[in-house]
Structures are given as structure tokens and as C-alpha cells.
Amino acid sequence: QEAGEQRRTILLNHIPRHIPSTIMTSKRSLKVSLLDYGAGNVRSVRNAITANGYDIIDITDPSQIDEADVIVFPGVGSFGSAMTVLKEKGYVEPLRKYLSKHDRPYLGICLGMQTLFESSEESHEAGHETEPLPGLGAVPGKVVKFDETQVGAVPHIGWNGRIDHQSSPVFRHVGNDEEMYFVHSYYAPIVDENKEWVLTSTTYGGVRYVSSVQRGAVVATQFHPEKSGRTGLNIVEGFLE
């Protein structure tokens, strides 16, 4: 475990601090709109974006969603709190519109992927404790919790690989054997209704689940690119190129 943490620290520190001017010039026109709804520290996501030569615009008003060139949503915290804040800030319907035709660039990370699904059993609305909490509904399926009796330790924390279900420019700079960093207790099962969305799957404790999705320009990952060192930077680069 200590060796794993040391590896993670080394990788996280391997973010270039100097971006060649040629890269900055070629990418300056594209602005990345960051949807930080205030649930946690997203500094590492900011670093991953700027390390690839892109400027960031913070989304603070619903009108900015429709105006965005590309949206990155690094969701953290619980499904319920995320959806509550998105509703309170008036972001839900603009996001659904943005995602509806799958033709506008979007990168959801961890909870930013889970909220794309129809619902989650992680949280419930008051008075509806037996019903799953609705998500953005872009991807068919429900997010469920790992069964400790089946997988052992919950949450799933650490490095893991992927099985590709379709080819994508997102992984153009990433080798097949490179691993990403995961931290999650809930997952999206692969079902017939969402198979066309599945970009990669990953297995944990014998459970195979959706580890990333893509349809058109809409991409989301259960793993954390911003915590995956050089591999993660290359994933962000592949998405933004």
C-alpha cells in the first residue's frame, strides 16, 4: 500500500509546469468551461487542463452552459448532493439540452459520469426513500453500490486497467496496458440499453462495470484522469484535441 501511495505521489507531481509557447498559441482559441459546483477541491483537474495548454472559464451562471466550447464536470461528493446543487443553481435543464444531441464536447469525471445516468441508489429525495434519485438521464441505466460480500473492500480504491469496447481519440495517446486511478463505491452496470455508450469497462472483485462512456462528443470516465499521472494527462489531451 505504501509503495502504491508513493507511486501515486510521483505520478501526480509529474505534471509539466512549462507549456511550450507553440502549444499555447495553437490552443488559445479554445476555452474549457469548468463546472465546479463547490463540493470539493478540483485543483488537480485545473492543472491537467492547463498543463495541456488550455485556458479555463469557470461556469457560474446557467447561461454559460449553452455558450461553452467544451465543458468539463469533475464531480465529487455524493450523487444526491451533486444533483441538488445542480438543481439549485439552475444547471440541470441547460446541461440536458447541451448533452441532448451528443454533438457538443463534454467530459464528466467520476461523479460527473454517474450523474449522466438515469438514476442512482446512492441518494434519495425526501419522502421518496425507496426510489432512486434521478440523474441527468443522458445515459440509460442506474448507478448501484458494490456489494462488499462480492468484491471485498468498498470503496474501490487504486489503479486498474480497462477493456476497450470501441475506439476513441480519447485514448489515442494511451497504451492498452496503462492503468488509471479509481476511487468509488458506486458503479454503473453494463446493460443492453447502454451498450452503445460504453467506451471501456473495468473489473473489480469479479464485477465488470462501465468505466467510461462516449457517444459523439460526450465523454465521461469513472476513473480520475487528474489523479492518473502522465496517463491521465494524455487522456485529457486526447479528449481536448
Side-chain angles (χ1 to χ4, degrees):
Q1 184 178 5
E2 184 177 348
E5 288 300 317
Q6 184 178 14
R7 177 189 177 197
R8 180 186 172 195
T9 301
I10 292 172
L11 286 169
L12 286 174
N13 289 333
H14 191 56
I15 295 180
R17 300 182 181 277
H18 173 70
I19 305 300
S21 58
T22 54
I23 294 179
M24 293 298 291
T25 301
S26 63
K27 297 177 179 178
R28 189 173 294 141
S29 60
L30 177 66
K31 307 290 184 182
V32 176
S33 294
L34 186 67
L35 184 56
D36 175 9
Y37 66 99
N41 183 4
V42 297
R43 182 176 61 183
S44 54
V45 177
R46 293 179 184 275
N47 289 344
I49 294 170
T50 56
N52 275 297
Y54 295 90
D55 293 330
I56 295 172
I57 298 174
D58 286 295
I59 294 177
T60 57
D61 187 87
S63 63
Q64 292 176 278
I65 292 174
D66 188 54
E67 298 168 355
D69 294 327
V70 53
I71 292 176
V72 175
F73 179 20
V76 293
S78 72
F79 189 100
S81 63
M83 290 305 302
T84 297
V85 173
L86 292 178
K87 287 180 181 178
E88 290 176 349
K89 290 181 176 289
Y91 292 163
V92 171
E93 292 310 317
L95 278 172
R96 285 174 173 160
K97 179 182 177 182
Y98 184 95
L99 295 164
S100 62
K101 295 182 180 179
H102 319 128
D103 61 347
R104 304 190 66 183
Y106 177 95
L107 176 62
I109 298 173
C110 194
L111 193 61
M113 185 189 91
Q114 293 187 3
T115 53
L116 289 179
F117 284 79
E118 292 174 314
S119 64
S120 173
E121 66 178 25
E122 179 179 4
S123 307
H124 306 276
E125 293 179 316
H128 299 273
E129 284 76 12
T130 61
E131 302 174 9
L133 184 69
L136 295 172
V139 184
K142 180 175 74 172
V143 175
V144 300
K145 189 174 184 178
F146 282 117
D147 183 347
E148 289 188 21
T149 64
Q150 183 176 4
V151 302
V154 177
H156 170 208
I157 301 177
W159 299 87
N160 210 333
R162 74 183 196 276
I163 298 171
D164 293 337
H165 288 241
Q166 54 178 305
S167 60
S168 170
V170 172
F171 292 105
R172 76 179 91 197
H173 305 300
V174 179
N176 292 333
D177 59 345
E178 293 186 55
E179 296 186 335
M180 289 74 66
Y181 194 79
F182 291 80
V183 184
H184 61 115
S185 299
Y186 292 78
Y187 69 96
I190 301 172
V191 296
D192 289 341
E193 290 77 12
N194 63 32
K195 281 185 177 179
E196 66 178 341
W197 275 90
V198 180
L199 178 57
T200 66
S201 64
T202 293
T203 300
Y204 176 61
V207 176
R208 189 173 174 185
Y209 64 91
V210 180
S211 53
S212 66
V213 297
Q214 179 170 9
R215 189 171 179 186
V218 177
V219 178
T221 66
Q222 180 61 69
F223 55 84
H224 288 268
E226 80 284 6
K227 296 180 180 181
S228 300
R230 170 54 62 185
T231 297
L233 287 178
N234 289 342
I235 289 170
V236 173
E237 180 182 8
F239 168 74
L240 290 173
E241 281 181 341

